[in-house]
Structures are given as structure tokens and as C-alpha cells.
Amino acid sequence: MLKEERLNYIINQINIHNKVLSADLSVQLNVSEDTVRRDLNELTDSGQIIKVHGGAISKSFHYPFSEKEVYKKDAKKEIARKAIELIEDGMVILVGGGTTMIELARMIPESLHCTFFTISPLVALELAENPSLDVNLIAGKLSSNSQTLVGAQVINQLSEIEPDICFLGTNGVSLKNGITDSDWEVVQVKKAMIKSAAETVILSISEKLDSSQKMKVCSLDAITYLITDIDPGGGNLEKYRKKVKLL
């Protein structure tokens, strides 16, 4: 594979999954980890990604309010629009982090009066702009990679609430492996969020379908709805219908 092809592949994987690991890229691209590190350095120097220990992350994690940095923004707005349909007045709602959750927070109408809990300071700031919402930011250690709060303190607090519904993003969705991620601490928090909620909704751009990361959050049986940016009656989603409700 030519260098330009490698760089394009890396950017595409970061855009889709938000984070990539050097070891995984080495296998996928069939090159040494030294070559991957040089590629990541070049992409970082050109301002296209942010290099972190063991890999790289999307710039949208660090610059979520910069419209030009958000990958598939229109698709994420469509997902958020569908998710709003599940929210009812008076609900207690738990939300994760990420750019799709920020779009969801921005779209909640002032006619809805709900209580929100979130592990994302960035999502909390967006929710706080809506005067009809009671917003609670769960305290914990801030992960620089995910821009969400993680750790035992977060998990303990999650065990003390019983939200009506939980909205979560994901790095991978597949029939075989379910909902997956690449960050161990994030996985533990997501498990606790799912356990606390009466219903769980996964929000995912369609490009993440049929993809898996190294760490499992839960099986598809553990979630209630899967919301993507494509028609729920489309062929790509039909095989998921027996496991989850589609929007």
C-alpha cells in the first residue's frame, strides 16, 4: 500500500471510530509499528489528527464546537433527530459523550422538562443552554482521550440513579460482538450506564455497522434501540431487527 493510501486509511478509521491504536493499524496495513508512528506523526503535524499514547484520536474530541471538525455532521444530526422522538416530558435521562450526543443536546426542545445526567462536561454545557432542563454532571476523572468522566467514582454514582433511558455512542456495532469500544475505562463506565437504565439506546453512524473493537461493552440483547442515519428498513439493518428495535 502506498503511503498516501495508508494516510487516507488512517484518517478514515479515525473519522469512523474516533480513535485508532498503533498496534491495530500495524496489522491492518501490514506495516511495522514504526511506520505507523511515522504516519501518525505526519498527520498530527499537518493538523489532521491528534496523536495520543498508543495511537491517535479525532480532532472533534478536542474541538467539538468547531463545525468543520465534526465528521458526518449531517448524519449525526439525523440520528439526534430520531433520538428526540424517544424522549418524553418528565423523564430522567442518562447520556454519554461524543459529537452525536452534542447534537442531541442541542436539539432538545424547550417544551420538554427533563432531568439529565451525563458523564460528558461538553454535553452538560450544551444541555445547560436549555432552561427547561435540570442538568447533572457526574463527577470523576476526566479522560483526555474520550473527553468523558471515568473511574470508580463515576461507576459508584451511576449505581445510585435509575434513569428511564440511556443514550450512548459506540465505536463498533456487530451481530457477533455486539457493542464494542477500544478504551477499557470507558467500557467499564458504559457497562454501568447500561446497568442503571431501564432502556438503552445506541446512537451510531451507519459506517460503524458490522465493525468491532477489542473490548466488549455488551451484547445486542442488552440494548433496546439502535439508531443510525439510514432508513431502518434498509438492507444493511435488516439483520439487526431480530435483536434490537431500529429507528
Side-chain angles (χ1 to χ4, degrees):
M1 186 180 290
L2 298 174
K3 179 180 177 181
E4 184 176 352
E5 293 176 311
R6 290 200 314 271
L7 297 180
N8 287 336
Y9 179 86
I10 291 170
I11 291 172
N12 185 60
Q13 290 300 301
I14 290 177
N15 281 336
I16 294 173
H17 299 294
N18 302 318
K19 178 183 178 181
V20 293
L21 300 177
S22 299
D24 291 344
L25 289 174
S26 175
V27 174
Q28 294 161 10
L29 295 169
N30 194 27
V31 296
S32 69
E33 287 197 42
D34 284 339
T35 298
V36 170
R37 279 191 285 270
R38 286 194 294 269
D39 287 345
L40 294 180
N41 284 334
E42 182 171 331
L43 291 170
T44 299
D45 291 342
S46 64
Q48 298 181 72
I49 65 171
I50 296 175
K51 190 179 178 185
V52 297
H53 179 70
I57 61 174
S58 167
K59 289 185 69 176
S60 63
F61 268 132
H62 281 238
Y63 308 105
F65 302 106
S66 176
E67 302 295 317
K68 66 179 181 179
E69 302 293 352
V70 178
Y71 180 68
K72 294 287 184 179
K73 185 175 179 64
D74 289 342
K76 292 174 180 179
K77 283 185 175 181
E78 175 61 15
I79 293 169
R81 183 194 63 76
K82 292 179 180 181
I84 295 293
E85 298 174 9
L86 298 176
I87 299 178
E88 299 178 6
D89 199 55
M91 273 187 166
V92 175
I93 301 166
L94 178 61
V95 294
T99 50
T100 304
M101 295 301 165
I102 287 176
E103 295 300 334
L104 173 64
R106 289 171 175 168
M107 285 190 183
I108 297 170
E110 291 188 10
S111 58
L112 288 174
H113 296 77
C114 301
T115 298
F116 276 83
F117 289 86
T118 182
I119 59 169
S120 168
L122 300 172
V123 171
L125 287 171
E126 290 290 349
L127 290 169
E129 292 294 315
N130 188 327
S132 299
L133 305 179
D134 182 8
V135 183
N136 301 274
L137 178 62
I138 293 175
K141 181 181 74 173
L142 181 65
S143 165
S144 60
N145 287 349
S146 67
Q147 296 290 289
T148 60
L149 298 160
V150 296
Q153 184 179 356
V154 173
I155 293 171
N156 287 339
Q157 291 171 84
L158 288 169
S159 69
E160 297 173 351
I161 60 175
E162 297 181 357
D164 298 297
I165 195 166
C166 171
F167 292 102
L168 278 178
T170 183
N171 275 340
V173 184
S174 71
L175 284 177
K176 179 181 177 181
N177 298 319
I179 307 303
T180 54
D181 208 298
S182 59
D183 187 306
W184 177 249
E185 288 189 307
V186 170
V187 166
Q188 302 315 305
V189 170
K190 285 185 175 182
K191 285 177 179 287
M193 293 174 75
I194 292 169
K195 184 178 180 181
S196 72
E199 293 186 329
T200 297
V201 184
I202 296 297
L203 281 57
S204 174
I205 57 174
S206 55
E207 288 170 275
K208 294 182 182 180
L209 295 175
D210 304 329
S211 71
S212 294
Q213 300 294 305
K214 293 290 182 67
M215 302 172 195
K216 185 170 183 176
V217 176
C218 67
S219 65
L220 291 179
D221 294 333
I223 68 174
T224 313
Y225 290 92
L226 172 62
I227 303 181
T228 72
D229 51 299
I230 58 179
D231 185 344
N236 287 350
L237 281 172
E238 188 57 38
K239 57 190 172 184
Y240 290 92
R241 192 174 300 279
K242 292 182 179 180
K243 294 287 187 179
V244 296
K245 298 176 183 178
L246 303 173
L247 281 182

